[in-house]
């Protein structure tokens, strides 16, 4: 630790943990919260996870999304990406949340928001993207339809309580029906159905597909590289806290990305610049 200048953190869950460490005085060196940069979470989490998660589900199962009922648990950046892309593929999309603001956003984005208890009965495909544990658990498995497909694209293999599912199936009644797809046979007494779990409940986009395309990870890794440079330049003045990626780095990455896409944008005229920063006109 004494030799570590600083760290940079890529993921939502990692940043949450590191902020908790800072609060408890357990953080020993400065961290830059790469995940929280706009050019990271608004793009990698939303468009990257949105596409690669569905890619994982499709590759593993070859399920037809059009007309299917997809339940997305969590309407953060990842959830928004998954939900909007699933809708684009013709699925009926349901959203579950625990945060009223995010739930309201999902309602006004046109999704049906409901509890997991209700959604469990209706869904054909369930995708968790919450960063939380036990989002799908025993009572939900008991309510699901025969052939329900479960996938996680949030964090670790605890979003789906697989231990409870294994206990319901008596441990033995499992088989791999396709590569990366495990079928759990829930006996009659516990609901009598097949439940299909993709990629052992681990991140479906990494386990059953190829992760995000490079064309979106480039922005995340540009944040990593430029934050590392910023840390080296400013390291001696930093404390063991979680720092945001400086706004000028975020803006520069957006500018560079637009450049690579041959997209030009307008520039403020001097009069516009003055108007936007004044209080004496237009008030
Ligand atoms: N698969 C990938 O490649 C990939 C990429 C980026 C992030 N992630 C991970 O995905 C997870 C979500 O990331 P994010 O950026 O969308 O985070 P976020 O914090 O923006 O969103 C998570 C949402 O889940 C909700 N939530 C929490 N518990 C819930 C529950 N029990 N039921 C329903 N909703 C619940 C929260 O209210 C929040 O709105 C994190 O663990 C992150 O590390 C995965």
């Amino acid at each position: 630790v004494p030799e570590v200048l600083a760290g940079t953190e890529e993921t939502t869950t990692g940043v949450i943990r590191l902020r908790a460490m800072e609060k408890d005085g357990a953080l020993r060196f400065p961290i830059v919260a790469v995940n929280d940069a706009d050019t990271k979470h608004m793009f990698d989490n939303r468009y990257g996870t949105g596409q690669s998660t569905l890619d994982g589900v499709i590759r593993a199962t070859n399920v037809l999304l059009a007309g299917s009922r997809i339940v997305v648990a969590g309407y953060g950046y990842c959830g928004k990406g998954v939900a909007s892309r699933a809708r684009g593929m013709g699925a009926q999309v349901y959203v579950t949340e625990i945060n009223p603001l995010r739930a309201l956003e999902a309602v006004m984005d046109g999704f049906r928001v409901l509890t997991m208890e209700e959604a469990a009965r209706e869904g054909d495909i369930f995708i968790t993207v919450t960063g939380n544990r036990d989002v799908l658990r025993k009572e939900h498995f008991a309510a699901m339809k025969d052939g329900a497909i479960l996938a996680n694209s949030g964090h670790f293999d605890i979003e789906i309580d697989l231990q409870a599912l294994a206990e319901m199936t008596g441990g033995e009644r499992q088989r791999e029906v396709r590569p990366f797809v495990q079928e759990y046979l829930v006996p009659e007494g516990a609901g009598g159905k097949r439940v299909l779990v993709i990629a052992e409940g681990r991140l479906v986009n990494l386990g059953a597909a190829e992760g995000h395309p490079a064309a979106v990870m480039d922005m995340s890794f540009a944040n990593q590289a430029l934050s590392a440079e910023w840390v080296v330049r400013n390291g001696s003045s930093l404390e063991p806290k979680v720092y945001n990626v400086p706004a000028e780095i975020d803006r520069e990455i957006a500018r560079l990305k637009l450049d690579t896409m041959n997209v030009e944008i307008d520039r403020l005229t001097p009069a516009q610049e003055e108007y936007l920063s004044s209080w004496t006109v237009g008030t």
Side-chain angles (χ1 to χ4, degrees), residues 12-13 45 49 76-78 97 99 102 131-132 153-155 205 212:
T12 307
T13 297
N45 299 29
T49 313
Y77 278 93
C78 293
E97 251 299 341
N99 175 331
R102 290 273 169 92
N132 207 344
S153 203
H155 201 67
N205 59 337
H212 301 359

